[in-house]
Coordinates of all heavy atoms in Angstrom, one line a residue:
Chain B
V199 N 62.3 -27.8 -102.1 CA 61.5 -27.1 -102.9 C 60.5 -28.0 -103.6 O 60.7 -29.3 -103.6 CB 62.2 -26.4 -104.1 CG1 63.2 -25.5 -103.5 CG2 62.8 -27.4 -105.1
Y200 N 59.3 -27.5 -104.1 CA 58.2 -28.4 -104.5 C 57.7 -28.0 -105.9 O 57.6 -26.8 -106.1 CB 57.0 -28.2 -103.5 CG 57.4 -28.5 -102.1 CD1 58.0 -27.5 -101.3 CD2 57.3 -29.7 -101.5 CE1 58.4 -27.7 -100.0 CE2 57.8 -30.0 -100.2 CZ 58.3 -29.1 -99.5 OH 58.7 -29.3 -98.1
R201 N 57.5 -29.0 -106.8 CA 57.0 -28.7 -108.0 C 55.9 -29.6 -108.4 O 56.1 -30.9 -108.3 CB 58.2 -28.9 -109.1 CG 59.3 -27.9 -108.9 CD 59.1 -26.6 -109.7 NE 60.3 -25.7 -109.4 CZ 61.4 -25.7 -110.1 NH1 61.6 -26.4 -111.2 NH2 62.3 -24.9 -109.8
N202 N 54.8 -29.1 -108.9 CA 53.7 -30.0 -109.3 C 54.0 -30.5 -110.7 O 53.3 -30.1 -111.6 CB 52.5 -29.1 -109.2 CG 51.2 -30.0 -109.3 OD1 51.3 -31.1 -109.6 ND2 50.0 -29.3 -109.2
E203 N 54.8 -31.5 -110.8 CA 55.2 -32.1 -112.0 C 55.1 -33.5 -111.9 O 55.3 -34.1 -110.9 CB 56.7 -31.8 -112.4 CG 57.0 -30.3 -112.9 CD 58.4 -30.0 -113.0 OE1 59.2 -30.7 -112.7 OE2 58.7 -28.7 -113.3
D204 N 54.9 -34.2 -113.1 CA 54.8 -35.6 -113.1 C 56.1 -36.1 -112.6 O 57.2 -35.6 -113.2 CB 54.3 -36.1 -114.4 CG 52.9 -35.8 -114.7 OD1 52.2 -35.6 -113.7 OD2 52.5 -35.8 -115.8
E205 N 56.2 -37.2 -111.9 CA 57.4 -37.8 -111.5 C 57.9 -38.7 -112.6 O 57.2 -39.5 -113.2 CB 57.2 -38.6 -110.3 CG 56.9 -37.7 -109.0 CD 57.2 -38.5 -107.8 OE1 56.4 -39.4 -107.5 OE2 58.1 -38.2 -107.1
D206 N 59.3 -38.9 -112.7 CA 59.8 -39.9 -113.5 C 61.2 -40.1 -112.8 O 61.5 -39.7 -111.8 CB 60.0 -39.5 -115.0 CG 60.8 -38.3 -115.2 OD1 61.7 -38.0 -114.4 OD2 60.4 -37.5 -116.1
A207 N 62.0 -40.9 -113.6 CA 63.3 -41.4 -113.0 C 64.2 -40.2 -112.7 O 65.1 -40.3 -111.9 CB 64.0 -42.4 -113.9
R208 N 64.0 -39.1 -113.4 CA 64.8 -37.9 -113.1 C 64.2 -36.8 -112.3 O 64.8 -35.8 -112.0 CB 65.4 -37.5 -114.4 CG 66.5 -38.3 -115.1 CD 67.2 -37.7 -116.2 NE 67.8 -36.4 -116.0 CZ 68.4 -35.6 -116.9 NH1 68.6 -36.2 -118.1 NH2 69.0 -34.6 -116.5
H209 N 63.0 -36.9 -112.0 CA 62.2 -35.9 -111.3 C 61.4 -36.5 -110.2 O 60.6 -37.4 -110.4 CB 61.3 -35.1 -112.3 CG 62.0 -34.5 -113.5 ND1 62.2 -35.2 -114.7 CD2 62.7 -33.3 -113.6 CE1 62.9 -34.5 -115.6 NE2 63.2 -33.2 -114.9
S210 N 61.5 -35.8 -109.1 CA 60.5 -36.0 -108.0 C 59.9 -34.8 -107.7 O 60.5 -33.7 -108.0 CB 61.2 -36.7 -106.8 OG 62.2 -35.8 -106.4
W211 N 58.6 -34.7 -107.1 CA 58.0 -33.6 -106.9 C 58.5 -32.7 -105.8 O 58.2 -31.5 -105.7 CB 56.5 -33.7 -107.0 CG 56.0 -34.6 -105.8 CD1 55.7 -36.0 -105.9 CD2 55.8 -34.3 -104.5 NE1 55.3 -36.5 -104.7 CE2 55.3 -35.5 -103.8 CE3 55.8 -33.0 -103.7 CZ2 55.0 -35.4 -102.5 CZ3 55.5 -33.1 -102.4 CH2 55.1 -34.3 -101.8
V212 N 59.3 -33.3 -105.0 CA 60.0 -32.5 -104.0 C 61.4 -32.8 -104.2 O 61.8 -34.0 -104.4 CB 59.4 -32.8 -102.6 CG1 59.4 -34.3 -102.2 CG2 60.3 -32.1 -101.5
F213 N 62.2 -31.8 -104.1 CA 63.7 -32.1 -104.1 C 64.4 -30.9 -103.4 O 63.8 -30.0 -102.9 CB 64.2 -32.3 -105.5 CG 63.8 -31.1 -106.5 CD1 64.6 -30.1 -106.8 CD2 62.5 -31.1 -107.2 CE1 64.2 -29.1 -107.7 CE2 62.2 -30.1 -107.9 CZ 63.0 -29.0 -108.2
H214 N 65.7 -31.0 -103.3 CA 66.5 -30.0 -102.6 C 67.1 -29.1 -103.7 O 67.4 -29.5 -104.8 CB 67.6 -30.6 -101.8 CG 67.1 -31.3 -100.5 ND1 66.6 -32.6 -100.6 CD2 66.9 -30.9 -99.3 CE1 66.2 -33.0 -99.4 NE2 66.3 -31.9 -98.5
Q215 N 67.4 -27.9 -103.2 CA 68.1 -26.9 -104.1 C 69.0 -26.2 -103.1 O 68.8 -26.1 -101.9 CB 67.0 -26.0 -104.6 CG 67.2 -25.8 -106.1 CD 66.2 -24.8 -106.8 OE1 65.7 -23.9 -106.1 NE2 65.7 -25.0 -107.9
I216 N 70.2 -25.8 -103.7 CA 71.0 -24.9 -103.0 C 71.1 -23.6 -103.9 O 71.5 -23.7 -105.0 CB 72.3 -25.4 -102.5 CG1 73.0 -24.5 -101.6 CG2 73.2 -25.9 -103.7 CD1 74.0 -25.4 -100.6
E217 N 70.8 -22.4 -103.2 CA 70.7 -21.2 -104.0 C 71.9 -20.3 -103.5 O 72.2 -20.3 -102.3 CB 69.5 -20.5 -103.7 CG 69.3 -19.2 -104.2 CD 68.5 -19.3 -105.5 OE1 68.0 -20.4 -105.9 OE2 68.3 -18.2 -106.1
G218 N 72.7 -19.8 -104.4 CA 73.6 -18.8 -103.9 C 73.4 -17.4 -104.4 O 72.7 -17.2 -105.5
L219 N 73.9 -16.4 -103.7 CA 73.7 -15.0 -104.1 C 74.9 -14.2 -103.6 O 75.3 -14.3 -102.4 CB 72.4 -14.4 -103.4 CG 72.2 -13.0 -103.6 CD1 71.6 -12.7 -105.0 CD2 71.1 -12.5 -102.6
V220 N 75.4 -13.5 -104.5 CA 76.5 -12.5 -104.2 C 76.1 -11.1 -104.8 O 75.8 -11.1 -105.9 CB 77.8 -13.0 -104.9 CG1 78.9 -11.9 -104.7 CG2 78.3 -14.3 -104.2
V221 N 76.1 -10.2 -103.9 CA 75.8 -8.7 -104.4 C 76.8 -7.9 -103.9 O 77.0 -7.9 -102.7 CB 74.3 -8.3 -103.9 CG1 74.1 -6.9 -104.6 CG2 73.3 -9.2 -104.5
D222 N 77.4 -7.0 -104.7 CA 78.5 -6.2 -104.2 C 78.7 -5.1 -105.3 O 78.0 -5.2 -106.4 CB 79.8 -6.9 -103.9 CG 80.7 -6.3 -102.9 OD1 80.5 -5.0 -102.7 OD2 81.6 -7.0 -102.3
K223 N 79.6 -4.2 -105.0 CA 80.0 -3.4 -106.2 C 80.8 -4.1 -107.2 O 81.7 -4.9 -106.8 CB 80.8 -2.2 -105.6 CG 80.0 -1.2 -104.8 CD 80.8 0.1 -104.5 CE 79.8 1.1 -103.9 NZ 80.1 1.6 -102.6
D224 N 80.7 -3.9 -108.4 CA 81.5 -4.4 -109.6 C 81.5 -6.0 -109.6 O 82.6 -6.4 -110.0 CB 83.0 -3.9 -109.4 CG 83.0 -2.4 -109.5 OD1 82.2 -1.8 -110.1 OD2 84.0 -1.9 -108.9
I225 N 80.4 -6.6 -109.3 CA 80.4 -8.0 -109.5 C 80.1 -8.2 -111.0 O 79.2 -7.6 -111.6 CB 79.2 -8.6 -108.7 CG1 79.6 -8.5 -107.2 CG2 79.1 -10.1 -109.0 CD1 80.8 -9.2 -106.7
S226 N 81.0 -9.1 -111.6 CA 80.9 -9.3 -113.1 C 80.5 -10.7 -113.4 O 80.4 -11.7 -112.6 CB 82.1 -8.9 -113.8 OG 83.1 -10.0 -113.4
L227 N 80.1 -10.8 -114.7 CA 79.8 -12.1 -115.3 C 81.0 -13.0 -115.2 O 80.8 -14.3 -115.0 CB 79.5 -11.9 -116.7 CG 78.6 -12.9 -117.5 CD1 77.3 -13.3 -116.8 CD2 78.3 -12.5 -118.9
A228 N 82.2 -12.5 -115.3 CA 83.3 -13.3 -115.1 C 83.5 -13.8 -113.8 O 83.9 -15.0 -113.5 CB 84.6 -12.5 -115.5
D229 N 83.1 -13.0 -112.8 CA 83.1 -13.4 -111.4 C 82.1 -14.6 -111.2 O 82.5 -15.5 -110.4 CB 82.7 -12.3 -110.4 CG 83.7 -11.2 -110.4 OD1 84.8 -11.5 -110.6 OD2 83.3 -10.1 -110.0
L230 N 81.0 -14.5 -111.8 CA 80.1 -15.7 -111.8 C 80.7 -16.9 -112.3 O 80.7 -18.0 -111.7 CB 78.8 -15.3 -112.6 CG 77.9 -16.5 -112.8 CD1 77.3 -17.0 -111.5 CD2 76.6 -16.1 -113.7
K231 N 81.4 -16.8 -113.5 CA 82.0 -18.0 -114.0 C 83.1 -18.5 -113.2 O 83.1 -19.7 -112.9 CB 82.6 -17.6 -115.5 CG 83.2 -18.9 -116.2 CD 83.6 -18.5 -117.5 CE 84.3 -19.7 -118.2 NZ 84.8 -19.3 -119.5

Side-chain angles (χ1 to χ4, degrees):
Chain B
V199 301
Y200 305 86
R201 299 270 175 92
N202 192 354
E203 283 170 4
D204 289 338
E205 291 195 292
D206 59 36
R208 284 186 61 176
H209 302 91
S210 54
W211 58 263
V212 51
F213 52 96
H214 290 83
Q215 233 180 30
I216 188 158
E217 177 95 2
L219 174 74
V220 171
V221 181
D222 204 344
K223 288 193 168 114
D224 299 335
I225 296 293
S226 72
L227 201 52
D229 289 337
L230 170 61
K231 184 175 172 183

